[in-house]
Amino acid sequence: MYSILLSAGWPIWPLLIISILGLAIAIERAWYLRQVNVLPKAALETAFILANQISKQKSINEAQISQLAQSAPAAPLLACVLLEKSVNHNADAALEEIQAVAQGTFLKLDRYLGALATIATVAPLLGLFGTVIGMIEIFGSQGAVAGNVGSPQQLAHGISVALYNTAFGLLIAIPALAAWRGLRAMANQRQRECEEFTRQIFKKLYPSNS
């Protein structure tokens, strides 16, 4: 592998760097966007239990809600719905604050996905740049630049730089694009789940507005 990197020349190093970065983002997002992490069953059960208590007793246990908010990435959204009942008895006013918290929650789900999409777009361009560098070396070896006698070694090196960089660019871009599409779908699914569970809790607390 090291000999291949040497044969590909210096243009391969930016590709290697973004490939490591893309792999790290894909692994981190795949782990983060699991349902058991974003919306664990225990947090959902706690949120609905508290919602039932609030709707029946009209009292709010802020300590339990604060503990709920720290239990999962999407839990602050559920906690916000519960807390807004004590601040805003008007459903429309509560809804505005809930939407603001929802936007922050969704930003957490989308984090780094833009960078992964950029890697999928940039990788083929970097591969093309390496190909151009290789072609320049090929023409240089044939005397098109300096007027020297062609060097077979330099010609072979130029060809290897061109082909290796093209291949590496595509090898990075294709998995990065596939990972982005898959993670984008996971993030959208988590957002829909957050919206649905938030809507259910909201209806429990504001039955007249459901």
Side-chain angles (χ1 to χ4, degrees):
M1 185 63 183
Y2 183 69
S3 61
I4 292 177
L5 293 177
L6 291 179
S7 300
W10 65 264
I12 201 67
W13 295 107
L15 284 169
L16 184 61
I17 292 171
I18 67 170
S19 69
I20 295 173
L21 181 60
L23 180 61
I25 292 174
I27 293 174
E28 189 275 338
R29 287 290 90 186
W31 180 265
Y32 183 89
L33 290 172
R34 295 171 303 145
Q35 185 179 27
V36 70
N37 179 60
V38 177
L39 287 167
K41 185 177 180 180
L44 291 174
E45 290 177 350
T46 300
F48 280 100
I49 290 172
L50 291 174
N52 285 329
Q53 292 176 355
I54 294 170
S55 61
K56 292 177 181 179
Q57 302 174 2
K58 306 302 180 181
S59 61
I60 295 178
N61 189 326
E62 294 188 3
Q64 287 182 310
I65 295 176
S66 177
Q67 185 177 4
L68 169 65
Q70 300 174 7
S71 62
L77 177 58
L78 305 179
C80 176
V81 182
L82 299 174
L83 284 175
E84 280 301 306
K85 182 62 177 178
S86 65
V87 179
N88 291 308
H89 294 288
N90 182 277
D92 293 333
L95 192 58
E96 292 181 5
E97 182 63 26
I98 293 169
Q99 289 175 343
V101 176
Q103 290 179 356
T105 301
F106 297 159
L107 284 176
K108 293 180 183 178
L109 300 178
D110 292 339
R111 187 169 50 189
Y112 306 135
L113 292 183
L116 188 60
T118 301
I119 289 173
T121 303
V122 168
L125 298 178
L126 288 176
L128 179 61
F129 173 73
T131 302
V132 172
I133 297 298
M135 296 299 293
I136 291 173
E137 293 192 9
I138 291 173
F139 282 111
S141 69
Q142 296 304 302
V145 175
N148 298 324
V149 178
S151 169
Q153 292 82 6
Q154 191 174 359
L155 174 62
H157 178 69
I159 294 174
S160 66
V161 168
L163 296 180
Y164 277 132
N165 280 277
T166 301
F168 267 89
L170 295 175
L171 187 63
I172 295 169
I174 294 172
L177 180 60
W180 175 78
R181 290 183 67 88
L183 293 171
R184 177 73 271 168
M186 288 181 65
N188 290 339
Q189 178 63 24
R190 297 292 87 82
Q191 289 182 15
R192 287 191 293 268
E193 291 169 356
C194 288
E195 291 173 350
E196 178 59 27
F197 290 126
T198 301
R199 187 180 299 109
Q200 292 177 16
I201 295 174
F202 188 85
K203 287 181 178 180
K204 283 182 177 292
L205 299 176
Y206 301 92
S208 60
N209 295 88
S210 59

